[in-house]
Each structure stands twice: as C-alpha cells, then as structure tokens.
Amino acid sequence: MARLFRDPYGVPHLRASSVTDLARGQGRVSVLDRAWQVEWLRLRATSGTAAVLGTDAAAAWDDLARAMRVEETARRALAACSAETQAFVGAYVEGVNAELSRTDPGSVPELAHLGHAPGEWEPWTPLATFLAQHLLFGAIGSQLWDRLVTQVLGDDAHLLRHEGPQAAGSNAWAVGGRRTASGLPLVGGDPHRNLEQPGVYQQVRLACDDPDRPEDRFDVLGFCFVGAPGVQHFAHAGDVAWAITNACADYQDVVEVDPGLDAADLPADLLPLRPGLAVRTSSYLLGELGFDALLPLLRARSVDDVDRALDRWVEPVNNVVIADRAGTVRYRLAGRVPVRDADGGWTGWLPDPHRHDAGPDGVVVTANERRGPESSMVGRSFAPPYRARRIRELLGDRRGLTTADFAAIHDDAFLPTAPLLARLVPGAFDDFDGVMAAGSAGAARFAAWRSALVRRLVAEPALAGLADPGPEHDHGPLLAWSMDPVVRVGLALPTLAAAALADERPLGIDLPALARAALGDLAAKEVPATWGDTHVARPVHALAEVGFDAGIPFLPVSGDQDAVRTMGSWPAISDAATRGAVARYVWDLADRQAGGWVVPTGASGRPGPHHDDQLRPWLDGHLVPIVTDWDQLAEDSSFSKNASA
C-alpha cells in the first residue's frame, strides 16, 4: 500500500512498492485534497452539471459534452490502452472510490452548499475528465472566429487574427549545462490557463520501489491533472525533466455540413457542433488519448525515454522541452497532427515530430509561437511571438544561470507591445517604461488609453458586421468569448498598430487619429492610480454563479496578456486577470531541491492552512521550495491505517 507524506506546503508525496498501489494512493489523495474538484470533473465529463447547478451555462456545457461524445471516446480510449495502463488507471479509480466512500459530503463546503453527494467513478472516468478539460483547448473557437471575420472583412481578415488569434498560451524553456552555474541543464516555465479555485494542476510526488521490477523504481515530482493518474505535462524524475506548451495544432477541424442533417446522419468521423457545422477530432477518430504514455513517463531516465514515451501521445498536441543529466536538451512536437488533402480531408498523420537537440551551449524556448516553416504543417493559429522573443532576449548569452534567474524571467512584466502601441501617440507615454507592474501609475494610464482605443475601434463602421453577425454565428455561451469583437480587437491591436505605422490604413481606419482621440477620452474619466487597482488576480470557482464564496481574495497582480508574466486582461472589457500562470516551476537537473515551484492558491482545495498559502508567493513572483528529503517530510499515518481498514 502507499504511504503519504506532506511537505510544509501540504504537497502530497506518495511512496509505494508497486505502480498500482501508487495509483490507488494518488486516487485517494485526489479526494482527500480536492473532493469537490473530483466530483465537479466527473459531472463535467458525464454531462451532469445542469442537474446540479441549473444554470444556462451548465446546460450548454452538458450539451457540448454529449455532442462531443466524451463518455464514448473515453470508453474507447481506455479499451485501446495496454492491459498495464488499464490496471494503472483502474487502481487510481479504486483509490478515488475508496476515499469517496469515507468522505462526509457535509465536510466539503461545496458539496454542503449544494446538498449534493458525489457519485462513483467508472474505470473510464479519468480519461473522460482529461478529455473534457481539453474540449475547448484546441482551435474550435479560432476557426469559428475566422469564418466570421473572413465573411465580414474578406482579405483584411488577417488584421484581426493576432497571429491566431490566441489568448491561451504557456512558456517553457531550457538551457544546456554550459549556460548554468551547476553545469547541468535547467528547465523552467509556466502554463497559462483560466485561474480557477481549486487550481487545475496539483503538485505531487510519486515514488515507487518495486523490488521485483527495476523499471518501477522511480521518484517523480511534478504537476498532475486532478482526475488522472501520473504526471502528464510537467515533471522532474531526477535524471530527466520535461515541460510542455500548447503547440496550437489543428487537431480539431470545424466542418460545414448540410444543416438539415440530424446528428445521427453525420459521417462517422464527425461530431455535431450546431446545425450546419460539425467537428472532426483526433481523439474521436482514433478512439485514443495517449494514456499509454503515462507509465513510460514515470519510468523515464533520459531524454530518449521521454521522447519514446511521447510517441504514444494523441491530444492535446504539445511542444515539449526535455533535458537530462547527460546534458541533452531537446525540443519535440508530441501528439497526432492530421495531414489534409486539398479539400481539407484528413488523409493521415504528420510523421515528423519536429524534434531537435540544442546542445550544451544551447537554448530551447517555446511560447506557442509559430516556430518556423514546419509550423504550417501543424496549425494555422499561433500565439504572437512576443513572449518567446522576450524570453530569448532575457536569456541572451548569459552564463552561470540559476533557479533565481529563471524565476526572474517568470516575473518579467515588461509588455513588448507597449512601445509599439505608444508610437501611435508620440510623446504621450515617454514616462512609461512598458513594465505592467501592479504599483505602476504609468501602466494604469497606458491600459486606460488602450481600452479607450479599443472602444473607438469597435465602434468603427468597418467592424459593424462583427457586432451583429446573425444567428448563424451565435455558438452559445461557451464560445461567446471567441466570437466577441471587443475581445478580438483588443488582442489584434498590435497587428493593427503595426499596419498603421507602416503608413497603411488598416480596414480603412485612421488609427493614429483614433489613438489621439482615445487620449482625450482619458480626460473625461478617472484613471486608476495604479495598474493593480483594477488589475487583480481573479480565480473563478465553478459555484460562484450559485452564490458560493471560495474565500480567495482578489489581489493586485503584475503582468499582462503578451508579457512573459502573462496575466490576461481584456481591454475595454475588464482589467481583471482571469487567466494566467496556473503554475510556475524550475527543474534543476543537478539538484531537484535547488529548483522550485508554485501554484496560484494552494495544494489543497479544502479550507485550511494549505488552501491559499501559496497565493502570496505566486503574486510576488516567488517559488516555494521543492523538498525531496523524506526525513524533512511529515508522514500521515492515518492514510495507511484507512487503506487497511
């Protein structure tokens, strides 16, 4: 059976003598620390949210999960897994159900608020929760927006694409050993998603010492998705470490179909989105997600091991950064990317994972950007290049790099687009250094002007067709953000500014004149004293709409959308940061304890000391220690006692 230890921040460290005992223990810990989240993920995966919440948004989600056949795909994907993977996932489910059976719903604030008891997990539920987490993670929103903007603007549609447009993103980078103080590689990064409470990622350590199986003697720490066993995306296994970013690949296609077709009459490879539109996805077509990679990742000892494990991955498609103690630093693409014929039909899968090694003097950076000519085979909508360029600039040709240096890169709040936009109004922001610091008055004034400019742009007649495009472009509340012209114009503002500064009139608009008028708008309103007065981190809770208070304060936070310290705000809509870094980490291949990690609130989703004890370090741009010495950890003896009860 597994034994549970905790570090000073309540992070679970699990030890077991078999991978199934380890998975069973991880399932139990998921419920101990995140009981509400475990149930919420199950409800989302099984189209059960509306029955509990009764809201329009919940009903829309359930409709989408049914249309995208989450349960069916999860069942097929589990059946496609090896017997060993099925046993691993099954043991996790056993652990979840065992701990749920011991959980008093009244002791979990969210369940008590709803008067709801959690349901039992099925063997396929972990795959369903993982798939549901990523239903809208691909290109569906961007493709729907592209249909609309192309219809309204024709050849000028590219001006509102923000090199995507993509508001999602993450940063990951690595340097070779000749660039570090220790002589071994460093890996760092931060995934960007919606800020949620509880957080999407859980810090965890999984150690196995199977006396009969040398491959199952491993010790891996990282971030896992609650609801799935193992560590999927970010981990340090002692001899090797890895990290990912979204590759912005087109593994989901929106396809026009006869609007009179019933869902049952669609071709077998299509899923209904709405009348006249369907979706083709890699996971549904293949009946796989890639869970056969999970155990090989835990067993990995080298870059090559991680690389081979990720050959099994399906979706989401990721950019992967890997480094090991032998000094290898590698980039590779992981996941199934479809190859299309001239008519857009899928004819096979991209055979080249686009891998390359950086060398001991090298650097690998990935921030969802278009990486080069090969990217045209991967997708059409990438993030702008600003974050990737800035990280490379901050790394430069520096030597002797440490965890502290990487943490400073995490914390870089310089907005690369600020100097570009300021050129529209020469002299107006000469006293602003471009750093979106929470305490900055210059950042507050710049952001207020930017919002005023977006409001004026959206009101231009050339964009009128985007504001009221007709019912065929109404895709419901879940995709409303993707179709919001205010959001899209705000994201595309640097693209429009670059065109205007090149002596063009983007969309026939005199952008410098609008920019000057927007300056005048500031005189008629009160500008916040500092950026942090309105730019606050706002983690959302699934039950906020039904009156539940998660108890997490909304506090000032530095950063902005295209900064390395990504804390997305939406000009002309809200300055609040509702998405950004949902974790930060530095993996040091010389010494795991020399690295660090942090999440936005805490390791636990339950009220108590570890509910929000990482909030202040996260806000301040600091990492909390990684503790690997078992003697420095506190064992939870009741965990083993309950397992044998």
Side-chain angles (χ1 to χ4, degrees), residues 355-398:
R355 61 169 62 83
H356 69 82
D357 289 353
D361 285 306
V363 173
V364 171
V365 176
T366 171
N368 323 105
E369 79 283 17
R370 186 182 297 273
R371 299 187 58 80
E374 72 274 11
S375 294
S376 63
M377 296 290 292
V378 175
R380 289 161 286 182
S381 297
F382 297 89
Y386 309 117
R387 287 181 286 112
R389 288 177 185 168
R390 179 64 175 170
I391 292 169
R392 290 190 182 95
E393 176 185 321
L394 291 169
L395 289 170
D397 58 0
R398 295 168 63 187

Side-chain angles (χ1 to χ4, degrees), residues 424 448-458 493 511 514-515 518:
L424 294 170
W449 165 76
R450 182 178 58 183
S451 289
L453 177 54
V454 169
R455 281 189 284 270
R456 284 186 169 272
L457 264 170
V458 172
L493 195 55
L511 191 58
L514 286 187

Side-chain angles (χ1 to χ4, degrees), residues 78-105:
L78 180 63
C81 288
S82 69
E84 185 179 47
T85 300
Q86 291 180 16
F88 183 61
V89 174
Y92 179 86
V93 171
E94 289 173 11
V96 167
N97 286 331
E99 201 60 43
L100 284 175
S101 70
R102 284 189 283 267
T103 300
D104 173 13

Side-chain angles (χ1 to χ4, degrees), residues 544-586:
E545 196 175 357
V546 293
F548 182 80
D549 182 2
I552 302 295
F554 298 164
L555 297 175
V557 62
S558 300
D560 202 19
Q561 179 60 41
D562 288 321
V564 175
R565 195 188 214 278
T566 301
M567 287 292 153
S569 65
W570 315 117
I573 296 179
S574 172
D575 286 345
T578 56
R579 67 178 298 125
V582 293
R584 298 189 186 104
Y585 56 88
V586 179

